[in-house]
Amino acid sequence: MMRKSAWRQMTGPEMWMGLFALAVTLSLTMAEHVDQRPALQTSPVLHRHKREWLWNNLYVEEERPTNKQYYIGKLKSTKSGDGTHYVIKGEGANTIFKVDEKGHIYVTERLDREEKSKYLLSAKLFDTSNILVEKVEEFVILVTDINDNDPVFTKSFSASIKERSKSGTGGTKVIEVTATDADDPTTANGELAYTLLEGGDFFNIDNTTGIITTKYENLDRETQSSYVVVVQAQDLRGLKQGGTATTSVTIAVSDINDNIATFTKRSYVFSVKEDMKRGQRIDTIVLEDRDEIQNKDPIVTIEPPSDTFEMERSQNKDGNLMLKQGLDYETKSSYTFFVHVRENHLQSPVDNKDNPVIKAQVTIQVLDVDEQPEFSESLYNFNVIEEIMVNNIGVVSARDPDKANKAIRYSIEDKDSPIGINPITGQLFTVRKLDRELVANHMFQVKAKEEPNGLESFVNVNILVIDINDNKPELSIEEIFVCENDMAGTVIGTISATDKDDHLPAFSFTLVKPNGNFSVVDNNDNTSNIVLKHGGFSLEDSRDYVIEIGISDGGRPPMSSITTLPIKVCRCDNKRIHTQCKAAQLKMGVGVYTLIPILCILTILIIVILIAMRKRHQKDALVTLGKSEIHEQLVTYDEEGGGEMDTNGYDVSILTSARNDGSMSMRQGPSLYAMVKKPPTACKGDMAVMIEVKKDEADHDRDGIPYDTLHIYGYEGPESLAGSLSSLDSSSTGSSLDYDFLNDWGPRFKTLAELYGVDGSEGSDSLY
């Protein structure tokens, strides 16, 4: 306990004061018990028989030192005497509280009322033989309080109050401040009294409840926005000897709208370029208002109202000067007007009522700028009749709004536009005829530019193409058929028409040629019915049924068309649903416009075929040899050789003759080999020349045959250093080689030895 040590050290007047308080408490408690006894005795419900126990309530003072046990009372019974003794049980029995044989009760420990304020015990009386003499009786030991605890504020406090709140007896409640005291609240030890140590000039506090109220009515947030008051809580009802505790309370003064918004100046001057767009902000007129922004509610107006300018409230609740209409320096270069400010929901009395500036003069100076050309219209609309050339559709006009008034030159940016424009006058005209059915509306931009290299601007021009009746109507039909069982007067189909032109349809249908089987009946709703004149149609009939329908669109001038309509014959059920039909053969003539593309296609096909045939013929001519005998001999030459016995299988003289008479040449006229000009120092033979020619052909003639064909290998160069591999030009006498060794190879090479060797006599002669 906070004040226990202090209690133990109290002496002199302080101790006597505490004893006095204790005595008062005990007296009040005893008086309460005395007052209650008659009630208990007279109550029929609580009536009890007289007991043998005799004692008063027992009291013990808290925090009393226990250097040794001390006496607090005695147990009494009419049956007590010599040889009897008391026994107690219950809370603190025989530990805190002890009893002797005579019933004297002693306290052995220091007690704290804040921990436990009373103890419940029971007493018994026994004789020397420990026989119960008196029945159990319960009694209470009360711990009396002393002022050993100071008040405590268990939390911090803060509050807010609106400025200009009421004061006095009915003052505005700010906050309730409370403290706690652990001492007995039914005694002066636990009763607290509240006072203000600081802040008493502006606030009051209730001594008992701790409620803080306003004392000063003119609390002004703009002067002081918060206050700190110090509250003291003291026990013993505020007596000087009581314990105390203090706490600080922060009181914020909240804002109300009690200040008039005022202009910071009495006149304003703004400069504005004449090309500023409508709806843009010119500038902000700042207002002075000491209130917080959420409480400001100013309204700024132009008086009298202006058609050119207007005021709007900004996010900070100042006045934005806005441009309402466009400016023109050449028309008017300055404006002067007045602005006014007033407050909504203003609390009275206001703080600054003596000197607010609620009216100010505004001067607008318009600055000249080089402006773009201005068109006389924001959008131009013209009508043009289709399929005719128009020289004067209309005029697009623009001007230079500046004082210089420069000349304007017109142009159309779209180079493919069917509309042209006079660059000086702005007059529009058609470049080519318009077709409403292709494009019904032409939209383009015209550019106006100041001369020579000034500013430019654009405007949209819309050309609406007016329709004329220049399209023939077209027949629109579904399947038309006649049933074998149809009777005269049966409607076998309904026809209608369409027209690309833009006019109300007024189609009429007629038969171009009279028909004995069918008739056309106009329904007067742009449709007509095809009606049978008689029945009796059959699938077995080989005739075809075709009618020609004439259509007129009723326009100005009227356009008409003729359409051939085939009608097929069908076998139908009772509901006129066909199950089998014979298609009608539509006999149609081929017109000139249809014949021309067909002829063009056929001509192209013939040319392509001729070119292909010519190329194939050239290729075949290159491959084919001059004589068929050479071909036949070479075909069998790819078989395996039969040695010397195979010399009769072919006639190699043909190759030699072919080479000599030039029959293997692929071209008529001079030989390609003769056409090649040999260098003066060349010593190559025909084979080298032929290779060069063939290489040149391979490089430049894509249709030429490869040089490794049979035609090429039909020649062997006589000037080759390696000599010829063929036996066509070889003889037994022109060779310097000795072929006598062939005689040693056996009979199979005998013939070959005779061809290339010499006789034995000749050889013998040569040896000598």
Side-chain angles (χ1 to χ4, degrees), residues 57-75:
N57 289 328
L58 301 178
Y59 299 91
V60 59
E61 181 183 357
E62 71 167 334
E63 299 298 340
R64 180 173 177 176
T66 55
N67 297 331
K68 62 178 181 177
Q69 63 183 17
Y70 57 90
Y71 173 80
I72 61 171
K74 182 179 180 180
L75 298 175

Side-chain angles (χ1 to χ4, degrees), residues 479-669:
E479 185 180 40
I480 303 295
F481 62 92
V482 59
C483 295
E484 290 180 321
N485 54 356
D486 282 343
M487 306 298 293
T490 302
V491 177
I492 64 173
T494 301
I495 59 176
S496 59
T498 59
D499 195 333
K500 295 180 180 179
D501 293 319
D502 185 18
H503 62 84
L504 293 176
F507 300 117
S508 60
F509 304 88
T510 58
L511 282 176
V512 177
K513 297 179 182 179
N515 191 289
N517 299 316
F518 309 98
S519 63
V520 175
V521 180
D522 198 333
N523 296 325
N524 297 321
D525 60 353
N526 295 312
T527 64
S528 290
N529 292 334
I530 299 177
V531 182
L532 281 182
K533 288 185 176 181
H534 60 81
F537 291 89
S538 174
L539 285 175
E540 307 300 330
D541 191 350
S542 60
R543 289 179 296 175
D544 296 324
Y545 299 96
V546 178
I547 59 176
E548 291 184 345
I549 305 295
I551 310 171
S552 176
D553 61 5
R556 295 183 181 179
M559 300 293 289
S560 61
S561 64
I562 298 175
T563 304
T564 301
L565 178 63
I567 300 174
K568 49 184 187 177
V569 180
C570 299
R571 183 170 291 126
C572 308
D573 58 14
N574 294 332
K575 296 182 180 180
R576 206 173 182 277
I577 298 176
H578 59 75
T579 57
Q580 182 181 357
C581 293
K582 180 185 74 172
Q585 298 295 327
L586 181 59
K587 298 180 180 179
M588 299 180 61
V590 179
V592 175
Y593 293 103
T594 306
L595 186 60
I596 290 175
I598 296 175
L599 292 176
C600 292
I601 294 173
L602 291 175
T603 303
I604 293 172
L605 288 175
I606 292 172
I607 293 173
V608 172
I609 292 172
L610 290 175
I611 293 173
M613 292 177 64
R614 180 175 178 274
K615 289 184 176 292
R616 182 176 182 85
H617 176 72
Q618 291 177 347
K619 186 174 182 180
D620 291 342
L622 292 174
V623 174
T624 305
L625 295 176
K627 291 185 178 182
S628 59
E629 293 82 3
I630 299 175
H631 173 71
E632 293 175 357
Q633 293 295 329
L634 293 178
V635 167
T636 59
Y637 194 68
D638 61 351
E639 299 177 357
E640 294 183 3
E644 60 183 6
M645 303 302 295
D646 194 29
T647 56
N648 297 324
Y650 56 88
D651 187 3
V652 296
S653 62
I654 296 177
L655 293 175
T656 304
S657 63
R659 176 189 175 194
N660 293 332
D661 61 12
S663 62
M664 296 183 65
S665 175
M666 294 179 292
R667 306 175 188 270
Q668 299 296 328

Side-chain angles (χ1 to χ4, degrees), residues 382-384 390-395 419-420 427-430 434 463:
F382 300 104
N383 297 331
V384 176
V390 181
N391 294 326
N392 187 10
I393 298 174
V395 176
I419 308 299
Q427 180 174 305
L428 299 174
F429 55 87
T430 56
L434 306 182
I463 302 294

Side-chain angles (χ1 to χ4, degrees), residues 395-435:
V395 176
V396 175
S397 176
R399 68 177 185 88
D400 181 10
D402 298 319
K403 286 185 177 181
N405 194 20
K406 298 178 181 178
I408 304 299
R409 190 170 186 86
Y410 304 93
S411 63
I412 296 176
E413 295 296 297
D414 185 6
K415 302 303 180 183
D416 296 330
S417 174
I419 308 299
I421 188 170
N422 188 305
I424 298 177
T425 63
Q427 180 174 305
L428 299 174
F429 55 87
T430 56
V431 177
R432 58 180 180 270
K433 293 181 181 180
L434 306 182
D435 188 351

Side-chain angles (χ1 to χ4, degrees), residues 724-758:
S724 176
L725 299 179
S726 174
S727 60
L728 298 178
D729 295 332
S730 62
S731 64
S732 59
T733 59
S735 176
S736 60
L737 297 177
D738 184 10
Y739 294 97
D740 291 341
F741 64 91
L742 294 176
N743 295 317
D744 300 330
W745 285 11
R748 294 179 61 87
F749 293 91
K750 181 178 180 181
T751 304
L752 186 60
E754 292 176 353
L755 290 173
Y756 290 95
V758 294

